[in-house]
């Protein structure tokens, strides 16, 4: 086994996990086709790959008596891994019960609208994201509802595009939605 290559791969996975964890803190989404990936999930997968690579490289280094990394390097890697783990767990906890939907139709420039809805007991919440080229979604605005109502899941919405800018209109019915109109800037 090539231990330096394993160590570089482990460091690269950990660095990518840290970058995607920062993207999670920035309330970004990754959309591939009609699949929505939250950055906490991507970060978690990269963190697991980093840990596996670290275990394999440590095992291989012990087998051929290669000296371990300096203590400060190991400490720094452990701190970064712990921070990424906390962000992943926080994101996963925040997404319990949440649902994501890619809305049709797309804008003229290919921009899409993605909605995240969440309800718990007598309250509901939603957020709309503008997904531009490359599949990165930026949060546009949010709303709250009464009685755990999820208007997009219930099909009570309209989405209209005027060129590259969209308007999502949520229809409350008996359960009100505050605010009901949301701009989706994709210019």
């Amino acid at each position: 086994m090539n231990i330096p290559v394993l160590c570089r791969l482990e460091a690269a996975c950990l660095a990518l996990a840290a970058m995607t964890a920062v993207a999670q803190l920035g309330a970004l989404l990754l959309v591939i086709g009609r699949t929505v990936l939250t950055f906490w999930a991507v970060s978690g997968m990269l963190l697991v790959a980093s840990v596996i690579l670290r275990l394999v490289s440590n095992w291989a280094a012990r087998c051929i008596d290669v000296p371990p990394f300096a203590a400060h390097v190991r400490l720094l890697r452990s701190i970064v891994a712990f921070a990424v783990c906390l962000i992943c767990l926080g994101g996963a906890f925040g997404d319990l019960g949440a649902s994501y939907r890619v809305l049709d139709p797309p804008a003229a420039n290919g921009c899409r609208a993605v909605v995240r809805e969440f309800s718990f007991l007598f309250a509901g919440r939603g957020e709309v994201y503008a997904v531009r080229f490359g599949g990165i979604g930026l949060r546009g605005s949010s709303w709250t509802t009464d009685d755990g109502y999820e208007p997009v899941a219930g099909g009570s919405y309209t989405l209209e595009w005027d060129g590259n800018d969209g308007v999502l209109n949520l229809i409350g019915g008996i359960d009100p939605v505050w605010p009901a109109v949301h701009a989706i800037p994709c210019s």
Side-chain angles (χ1 to χ4, degrees):
M1 281 190 195
N2 194 340
I3 295 171
V5 170
L6 287 174
C7 292
R8 283 188 213 113
L9 281 173
E10 181 262 327
C13 284
L14 186 58
L16 286 171
M19 287 189 293
T20 55
V22 170
Q24 168 66 28
L25 292 176
L28 300 175
L29 291 176
L30 178 63
V31 179
I32 301 171
R34 296 196 62 82
T35 304
V36 179
L37 293 173
T38 57
F39 276 104
W40 67 261
V42 174
S43 185
M45 289 184 276
L46 288 167
L47 182 61
V48 167
S50 173
V51 168
I52 290 170
L53 286 167
R54 181 183 293 188
L55 292 173
V56 169
S57 65
N58 285 347
W59 174 79
R62 267 184 268 153
C63 287
I64 59 172
D65 290 331
V66 173
F69 283 108
H72 68 281
V73 173
R74 290 192 314 254
L75 178 64
L76 179 62
R77 285 183 173 180
S78 297
I79 290 171
V80 171
F82 182 72
V84 168
C85 185
L86 285 179
I87 292 170
C88 289
L89 290 174
F93 182 73
D95 259 0
L96 284 176
S99 62
Y100 292 87
R101 289 178 177 74
V102 179
L103 304 181
D104 286 323
N109 66 352
C111 184
R112 311 246 4 184
V114 172
V115 168
R116 176 189 184 269
E117 288 184 304
F118 169 80
S119 64
F120 182 74
L121 294 177
F122 297 109
R125 179 170 168 76
E127 299 163 340
V128 64
Y129 293 80
V131 180
R132 297 182 175 104
F133 178 76
I136 303 293
L138 302 169
R139 184 167 47 199
S141 63
S142 62
W143 63 87
T144 57
T145 63
D146 196 19
D147 293 334
Y149 179 57
E150 295 181 356
V152 175
S156 299
Y157 71 94
T158 60
L159 175 61
E160 297 174 3
W161 295 96
D162 181 21
N164 296 328
D165 294 325
V167 175
L168 177 65
N169 186 13
L170 303 169
I171 303 156
I174 335 177
D175 298 311
V177 179
W178 305 281
V181 179
H182 301 273
I184 305 168
C186 285
S187 318

